[in-house]
Amino acid sequence: MQIGELAKRTALTVDAIRFYEKRRLLPKPVRSAGRFRLYTDDDMERVRFIQQVQGLGFSLVEIRELIDLRTHRVDACESMRRLLNGKLSDVRAKMQELKGLESELTTDLRKCTQELKCRLRHAAGSCPVLEQVAGAR
């Protein structure tokens, strides 16, 4: 199949497929007599694999390593375990950052709610959250 058909079947752009080739995630395709790139079902399966592991948060460098592991299957389980542990650590760190952000946003929202309730009884004051941010500079 030509690059346009591969793009259509994988819901990618032609540029994305070329990008994967440049990054050596896809092997160089054979060319037709007219110099069109020709792809196989194996290439399509590899593109789908790339999409799946990208969705799990793996970087292109990590994906290249995963492809090598899949291709050569030498000590794949131990290497995969190492990669998964690293990815899990990254996810846990991001979750901690997000929990901190959630806490800050909840606190700021509470301040805004209190200010708005206060405005019902008194003259409007400045936004306490904006004042806090301006004071933090």
Side-chain angles (χ1 to χ4, degrees):
M1 75 189 90
Q2 292 182 6
I3 195 166
E5 181 65 21
L6 178 62
K8 183 178 175 182
R9 289 186 185 190
T10 58
L12 287 174
T13 64
V14 168
D15 288 338
I17 293 169
R18 288 184 184 136
F19 177 79
Y20 288 159
E21 285 177 25
K22 286 178 190 172
R23 296 292 183 164
R24 292 179 282 128
L25 297 173
L26 278 175
K28 288 214 179 276
V30 296
R31 300 273 183 156
S32 69
R35 303 288 299 145
F36 291 105
R37 290 173 168 95
L38 297 177
Y39 297 91
T40 65
D41 287 338
D42 288 342
D43 295 324
M44 184 171 55
E45 192 274 327
R46 183 180 281 202
V47 168
R48 288 186 175 144
F49 173 78
I50 292 167
Q51 290 174 300
Q52 286 177 325
V53 293
Q54 267 188 316
L56 294 174
F58 285 94
S59 70
L60 295 179
V61 171
E62 292 167 329
I63 291 171
R64 188 177 306 118
E65 188 175 346
L66 291 172
I67 289 170
D68 288 343
L69 289 172
R70 261 180 111 211
T71 303
H72 300 108
R73 298 178 193 256
V74 177
D75 298 325
C77 198
E78 184 60 38
S79 297
M80 188 66 199
R81 183 176 184 273
R82 179 181 44 79
L83 282 168
L84 289 171
N85 272 326
K87 192 55 58 187
L88 186 57
S89 293
D90 292 347
V91 167
R92 286 178 175 155
K94 286 178 186 175
M95 287 174 64
Q96 283 302 110
E97 287 178 36
L98 288 171
K99 285 179 183 177
L101 178 59
E102 178 187 34
S103 177
E104 284 182 50
L105 291 171
T106 300
T107 300
D108 289 345
L109 185 59
R110 196 173 302 122
K111 289 177 187 175
C112 286
T113 301
Q114 288 172 347
E115 173 59 27
L116 290 171
K117 284 181 181 177
C118 184
R119 287 181 182 185
L120 295 174
R121 295 182 299 266
H122 307 296
S126 61
C127 176
V129 175
L130 290 176
E131 291 299 317
Q132 177 184 347
V133 172
R137 287 188 194 173

